[in-house]
Each structure stands twice: as structure tokens, then as C-alpha cells.
Amino acid sequence: PWNQEASLKGPAGSSDRAYSVYSEQLGDAPVWSQSVSQVFTAGASQYSTIYWPWILKKAGLPFAGSGAVSNGNYVMYYSTDHGAGGIAVATANTPGGPWTNRGQVYNDTVVGTSTETPSVWYDPSANLFRMHYQQAGAVVGSAQSTLQATSPDGNTWTRRPAAGAPTATDGGMIV
């Protein structure tokens, strides 16, 4: 059955608030609804802006029993917009909040700067959470690259090289 969670940034030009979007099952397709009010603000986060919030419902997923993701029924991964920081987490009992900031769970320090824009999901075939994110300076001559990290519990993340990418410096690409 459908039970998807998503989120979106505030109005155009605004990156200091998040709105919840959720779906409910209606026949074979989801019906999407948007909350009418903001559910999380930069003032409640550890960053000056909120960028790319991504919400997961915890039910049935192997989230850690302790750490940043251990509270609430929902986990929201988010970042700041093009600045120092990384990926942080907030938790809530409902998609509409109230959300509580739980701190940073990932920052790619291997190469590049500005770890941001997380997209997180659970891959049952590998028993891992997967996160694609943007990293500035990961590829020489490129503004941003999409990279991946994995986690067994949604709390502790390990950077992974891109599929088919070299594992050492090769033609300007560092992975």
C-alpha cells in the first residue's frame, strides 16, 4: 500500500521553511496532499536555511534504537543551501510536526565542500538506507556532483563511490 512521505521548500526564493507533503492510498494510486502551514523553520534547525527536506515514515524500517533518528515516528533529513554544514535530522510524531532538530548525521569530508540536498530511501534488497546528495568540488571542473552514502540504521553513514566510477584519481575525477 502507498504510504509515501515527501517534503518541499517554501515559496520561490524562500529556503527558511519546509512544508509537508504526504499521500494516502486511493485504489491503485496515491492521492497527494500538502499541509497548509510550514512544519519546520530555519530557526528550529541548526542552519540558517533549510534545503531539500526529505521525510521518511519509520514504521517497518530498521532505524537505529539510539542516536539522532531514535525519536518520533517520522525522520526528516535536510541540509543548508550551498554552505558549510552537512545533512541534519529532525524527528516528529506526525508529518505535520512539531519537528525537533536532532543534529547532523552526515558530512562528506573526503573531497569537496557543501554536502547538501539529501534524497534518502530504504533499499530492502541490500538492507541499507541509501542517500544521494550533492557535493561541491567532488569532480575537478564541476560545480556539484551527485554522490551516495549508505547506512544500516539511518543514523551512521558511509560514503560510497558512484557506480562505475574509478576508485582513485583518474582524469581529474576523485572518488
Side-chain angles (χ1 to χ4, degrees), residues 32-56:
W32 292 93
S33 302
Q34 179 181 347
S35 67
V36 295
S37 61
Q38 57 191 339
V39 296
F40 192 61
T41 64
S45 78
Q46 65 188 53
Y47 301 134
S48 60
T49 61
I50 298 172
Y51 199 65
W52 214 263
W54 194 270
I55 299 172
L56 293 177

Short mmCIF file of all heavy atoms in Angstrom, two decimals, residues 32-56:
data_model
loop_
_atom_site.label_atom_id
_atom_site.label_comp_id
_atom_site.label_asym_id
_atom_site.label_seq_id
_atom_site.Cartn_x
_atom_site.Cartn_y
_atom_site.Cartn_z
N TRP A 32 -2.04 12.84 -3.30
CA TRP A 32 -1.09 13.70 -2.59
C TRP A 32 -1.79 14.92 -2.01
O TRP A 32 -2.66 15.51 -2.64
CB TRP A 32 0.02 14.16 -3.54
CG TRP A 32 0.91 13.02 -3.94
CD1 TRP A 32 0.78 12.23 -5.04
CD2 TRP A 32 2.03 12.51 -3.23
NE1 TRP A 32 1.76 11.28 -5.07
CE2 TRP A 32 2.54 11.44 -3.97
CE3 TRP A 32 2.65 12.88 -2.04
CZ2 TRP A 32 3.64 10.71 -3.55
CZ3 TRP A 32 3.76 12.15 -1.63
CH2 TRP A 32 4.24 11.08 -2.38
N SER A 33 -1.38 15.29 -0.81
CA SER A 33 -1.91 16.48 -0.14
C SER A 33 -0.74 17.28 0.40
O SER A 33 0.28 16.72 0.79
CB SER A 33 -2.81 16.07 1.02
OG SER A 33 -3.87 15.27 0.58
N GLN A 34 -0.91 18.61 0.45
CA GLN A 34 0.13 19.48 1.01
C GLN A 34 -0.42 20.13 2.27
O GLN A 34 -1.56 20.55 2.31
CB GLN A 34 0.55 20.56 0.03
CG GLN A 34 1.61 21.49 0.61
CD GLN A 34 2.02 22.58 -0.35
OE1 GLN A 34 1.70 22.54 -1.53
NE2 GLN A 34 2.73 23.57 0.15
N SER A 35 0.42 20.19 3.30
CA SER A 35 -0.01 20.88 4.51
C SER A 35 -0.19 22.36 4.20
O SER A 35 0.41 22.89 3.29
CB SER A 35 1.03 20.70 5.63
OG SER A 35 2.23 21.36 5.30
N VAL A 36 -1.04 23.01 4.95
CA VAL A 36 -1.34 24.41 4.69
C VAL A 36 -0.40 25.35 5.44
O VAL A 36 -0.39 26.55 5.20
CB VAL A 36 -2.80 24.75 5.05
CG1 VAL A 36 -3.74 24.00 4.12
CG2 VAL A 36 -3.09 24.43 6.50
N SER A 37 0.39 24.82 6.34
CA SER A 37 1.30 25.68 7.08
C SER A 37 2.69 25.06 7.13
O SER A 37 2.86 23.87 6.95
CB SER A 37 0.78 25.91 8.50
OG SER A 37 0.68 24.68 9.19
N GLN A 38 3.67 25.90 7.38
CA GLN A 38 5.04 25.40 7.47
C GLN A 38 5.17 24.46 8.67
O GLN A 38 4.51 24.65 9.68
CB GLN A 38 6.01 26.55 7.56
CG GLN A 38 5.77 27.49 8.72
CD GLN A 38 6.62 28.73 8.58
OE1 GLN A 38 7.60 28.74 7.89
NE2 GLN A 38 6.21 29.79 9.25
N VAL A 39 6.01 23.44 8.52
CA VAL A 39 6.16 22.46 9.59
C VAL A 39 7.52 22.54 10.28
O VAL A 39 7.69 21.97 11.35
CB VAL A 39 5.93 21.02 9.06
CG1 VAL A 39 4.49 20.85 8.57
CG2 VAL A 39 6.92 20.64 7.98
N PHE A 40 8.48 23.24 9.68
CA PHE A 40 9.82 23.32 10.24
C PHE A 40 10.47 24.58 9.69
O PHE A 40 10.35 24.86 8.51
CB PHE A 40 10.61 22.08 9.84
CG PHE A 40 11.91 21.88 10.58
CD1 PHE A 40 11.94 21.70 11.95
CD2 PHE A 40 13.11 21.84 9.89
CE1 PHE A 40 13.13 21.49 12.61
CE2 PHE A 40 14.31 21.63 10.55
CZ PHE A 40 14.31 21.45 11.92
N THR A 41 11.12 25.34 10.52
CA THR A 41 11.75 26.59 10.07
C THR A 41 13.25 26.56 10.36
O THR A 41 13.73 25.78 11.18
CB THR A 41 11.15 27.81 10.79
OG1 THR A 41 11.45 27.71 12.19
CG2 THR A 41 9.65 27.89 10.58
N ALA A 42 13.97 27.43 9.68
CA ALA A 42 15.41 27.53 9.91
C ALA A 42 15.69 27.87 11.36
O ALA A 42 16.69 27.42 11.93
CB ALA A 42 16.03 28.57 8.97
N GLY A 43 14.82 28.64 11.99
CA GLY A 43 15.01 28.98 13.40
C GLY A 43 15.00 27.77 14.31
O GLY A 43 15.62 27.78 15.37
N ALA A 44 14.32 26.70 13.90
CA ALA A 44 14.28 25.47 14.69
C ALA A 44 15.41 24.51 14.33
O ALA A 44 15.64 23.52 15.01
CB ALA A 44 12.93 24.78 14.49
N SER A 45 16.11 24.80 13.24
CA SER A 45 17.19 23.93 12.77
C SER A 45 18.53 24.43 13.28
O SER A 45 18.60 25.39 14.02
CB SER A 45 17.21 23.87 11.24
OG SER A 45 17.82 25.03 10.72
N GLN A 46 19.59 23.79 12.85
CA GLN A 46 20.93 24.25 13.23
C GLN A 46 21.56 25.07 12.12
O GLN A 46 22.68 25.52 12.25
CB GLN A 46 21.81 23.07 13.59
CG GLN A 46 22.09 22.13 12.42
CD GLN A 46 22.81 20.90 12.88
OE1 GLN A 46 22.36 20.22 13.79
NE2 GLN A 46 23.95 20.63 12.29
N TYR A 47 20.83 25.30 11.01
CA TYR A 47 21.35 26.02 9.87
C TYR A 47 20.58 27.32 9.66
O TYR A 47 19.47 27.48 10.15
CB TYR A 47 21.24 25.17 8.60
CG TYR A 47 21.98 23.85 8.66
CD1 TYR A 47 21.38 22.68 8.25
CD2 TYR A 47 23.28 23.78 9.14
CE1 TYR A 47 22.06 21.47 8.28
CE2 TYR A 47 23.96 22.57 9.18
CZ TYR A 47 23.34 21.42 8.75
OH TYR A 47 24.01 20.24 8.79
N SER A 48 21.15 28.22 8.87
CA SER A 48 20.47 29.48 8.57
C SER A 48 19.40 29.31 7.50
O SER A 48 18.54 30.17 7.34
CB SER A 48 21.48 30.54 8.14
OG SER A 48 22.16 30.10 6.97
N THR A 49 19.46 28.22 6.75
CA THR A 49 18.44 27.90 5.75
C THR A 49 18.13 26.41 5.83
O THR A 49 18.92 25.63 6.35
CB THR A 49 18.92 28.21 4.31
OG1 THR A 49 20.08 27.42 4.03
CG2 THR A 49 19.22 29.69 4.12
N ILE A 50 16.97 26.02 5.32
CA ILE A 50 16.59 24.61 5.21
C ILE A 50 16.50 24.32 3.73
O ILE A 50 15.82 25.03 2.98
CB ILE A 50 15.22 24.34 5.85
CG1 ILE A 50 15.26 24.65 7.34
CG2 ILE A 50 14.81 22.89 5.62
CD1 ILE A 50 13.90 24.60 7.98
N TYR A 51 17.19 23.27 3.30
CA TYR A 51 17.22 22.96 1.88
C TYR A 51 16.98 21.47 1.69
O TYR A 51 17.60 20.64 2.34
CB TYR A 51 18.58 23.36 1.31
CG TYR A 51 18.61 23.52 -0.19
CD1 TYR A 51 17.87 24.49 -0.82
CD2 TYR A 51 19.38 22.67 -0.96
CE1 TYR A 51 17.89 24.65 -2.20
CE2 TYR A 51 19.41 22.81 -2.34
CZ TYR A 51 18.67 23.80 -2.95
OH TYR A 51 18.69 23.94 -4.30
N TRP A 52 16.08 21.15 0.79
CA TRP A 52 15.81 19.78 0.36
C TRP A 52 15.41 18.85 1.51
O TRP A 52 15.99 17.79 1.69
CB TRP A 52 17.02 19.21 -0.35
CG TRP A 52 16.67 18.28 -1.46
CD1 TRP A 52 16.63 16.92 -1.37
CD2 TRP A 52 16.30 18.61 -2.79
NE1 TRP A 52 16.25 16.39 -2.58
CE2 TRP A 52 16.06 17.42 -3.48
CE3 TRP A 52 16.15 19.81 -3.46
CZ2 TRP A 52 15.68 17.38 -4.80
CZ3 TRP A 52 15.78 19.77 -4.78
CH2 TRP A 52 15.54 18.56 -5.43
N PRO A 53 14.37 19.21 2.28
CA PRO A 53 13.94 18.28 3.34
C PRO A 53 13.35 17.01 2.75
O PRO A 53 12.66 17.06 1.73
CB PRO A 53 12.88 19.10 4.10
CG PRO A 53 12.44 20.13 3.13
CD PRO A 53 13.59 20.42 2.22
N TRP A 54 13.65 15.88 3.36
CA TRP A 54 13.23 14.57 2.87
C TRP A 54 12.70 13.78 4.06
O TRP A 54 13.45 13.50 4.98
CB TRP A 54 14.43 13.86 2.24
CG TRP A 54 14.06 12.69 1.41
CD1 TRP A 54 13.94 11.40 1.84
CD2 TRP A 54 13.76 12.68 0.02
NE1 TRP A 54 13.59 10.59 0.79
CE2 TRP A 54 13.46 11.36 -0.34
CE3 TRP A 54 13.70 13.67 -0.95
CZ2 TRP A 54 13.13 11.00 -1.63
CZ3 TRP A 54 13.37 13.30 -2.23
CH2 TRP A 54 13.09 11.98 -2.57
N ILE A 55 11.42 13.38 4.02
CA ILE A 55 10.77 12.75 5.17
C ILE A 55 10.55 11.27 4.92
O ILE A 55 10.06 10.87 3.86
CB ILE A 55 9.43 13.43 5.48
CG1 ILE A 55 9.65 14.90 5.83
CG2 ILE A 55 8.71 12.71 6.62
CD1 ILE A 55 8.38 15.71 5.96
N LEU A 56 10.87 10.45 5.93
CA LEU A 56 10.60 9.01 5.89
C LEU A 56 9.74 8.63 7.09
O LEU A 56 9.99 9.09 8.21
CB LEU A 56 11.89 8.19 5.96
CG LEU A 56 12.84 8.27 4.79
CD1 LEU A 56 14.09 7.44 5.08
CD2 LEU A 56 12.18 7.80 3.52
#
